[in-house]
Amino acid sequence: MKRPRKPPLIAPSLLSADPLRIREGIDSLCGEYDWLHLDIMDGHFVPNLSYGPSLLKSLRDALPEAVLDVHLMVEPPENFIASFLQWKPDFLVVHQEATPHLHRVLQAIREGGSRPGVALNPGTAVETVKPVLPFVDLVLVMSVNPGFGGQAFIPEVLSKTRALCQWREAGKLEFLVEMDGGLGASNVAEVVRGGCDVVVAGNAIFGEADPASAARLLRKKAREANSGE
Ligand code: DX5
Ligand code: ZN
């Protein structure tokens, strides 16, 4: 399995790319990204619809070396993971709120050959994922309510990343902490200093005239914040 690289990492969210020109959108980044973030929405767990597994297949075929981070906003995730696992996402992330069988789903993702991740909504207490931390490679802290790009960042969720970092250290665990929603040049330093290893950004990258420059700036600010500059 590919190494996911060292944090802090930038993961552009393809939800904000032009859906008719997703490949051109990725090419417009000129390689200024670490992972690609793919949002799967079912119109039930979240009030919006997006893509299905066929887009993951096309991305995997076109970009065999890319680290593909698939964020499942579907309920129940156990009904859908097999159709995504067959196309070998590097990370497959399910929501804590979407299933009563969280541990079982995470285990099935690992057995299926991908790295399991758990996501939590802004209104969900971080303590609810504590029992599964030894079983995940990623915790995705939502900093907007999931369903749409371009929403305003909810800064209060940073208390969750700090708790996760403390629990990771105390338990000698190795999961990465990812944040998703409303992130951009104005707050990337704050979230990295708050313990975030992976920064997802949609609008702040694909909403700009020069997505490569926007992504480069985010990477630079994230690295500076990480090294205490
Ligand atoms: C929201 C998605 C996000 C979204 C982020 O439900 O999970 O990944 O694309 O978009 P921005 O960065 O524009 O908030
Ligand atoms: Zn997402």
Side-chain angles (χ1 to χ4, degrees), residues 116-129:
V118 62
L120 63 164
N121 284 336
T124 302
V126 68
E127 286 77 10
T128 60
V129 298

Side-chain angles (χ1 to χ4, degrees), residues 5-191:
R5 298 197 205 172
K6 271 188 181 292
L9 306 171
I10 300 297
S13 169
L14 299 179
L15 191 66
S16 297
D18 179 342
L20 282 181
R21 298 162 23 110
I22 289 177
R23 179 62 199 257
E24 289 98 315
I26 296 168
D27 291 345
S28 77
L29 299 171
C30 302
E32 294 285 350
Y33 61 90
D34 299 289
W35 298 0
L36 293 171
H37 183 85
L38 184 60
D39 289 301
I40 308 296
M41 303 180 181
D42 68 351
H44 169 67
F45 179 67
V46 288
N48 196 7
L49 290 160
S50 61
Y51 324 105
S54 60
L55 181 58
L56 175 63
K57 177 192 184 322
S58 298
L59 288 168
R60 182 44 85 216
D61 287 348
L63 302 162
E65 296 305 314
V67 176
L68 301 178
D69 170 32
V70 177
H71 177 191
L72 289 184
M73 286 162 274
V74 304
E75 184 178 358
E78 45 270 50
N79 287 6
F80 299 93
I81 56 171
S83 54
F84 288 91
L85 286 168
Q86 67 179 321
W87 308 123
K88 309 257 172 275
D90 295 272
F91 290 85
L92 190 57
V93 182
V94 298
H95 268 261
Q96 181 275 348
E97 305 86 356
T99 175
H101 304 293
L102 187 56
H103 179 271
R104 181 188 291 159
V105 180
L106 295 168
Q107 209 170 26
I109 292 171
R110 197 176 295 285
E111 282 165 8
S114 291
R115 296 173 185 265
V118 62
L120 63 164
N121 284 336
T124 302
V126 68
E127 286 77 10
T128 60
V129 298
K130 204 173 177 186
V132 298
L133 294 180
F135 308 103
V136 296
D137 288 356
L138 183 76
V139 180
L140 196 179
V141 177
M142 287 304 299
S143 42
V144 299
N145 287 293
F148 303 93
Q151 302 181 78
F153 176 60
I154 301 169
E156 288 77 8
V157 301
L158 280 169
S159 62
K160 298 184 191 179
T161 61
R162 285 189 281 270
L164 288 165
C165 292
Q166 284 170 8
W167 295 338
R168 179 172 61 189
E169 203 178 324
K172 298 190 171 43
L173 300 171
E174 293 207 341
F175 58 84
L176 293 168
V177 178
E178 179 176 50
M179 191 164 277
D180 182 9
L183 303 180
S186 64
N187 55 15
V188 64
E190 180 188 4
V191 306

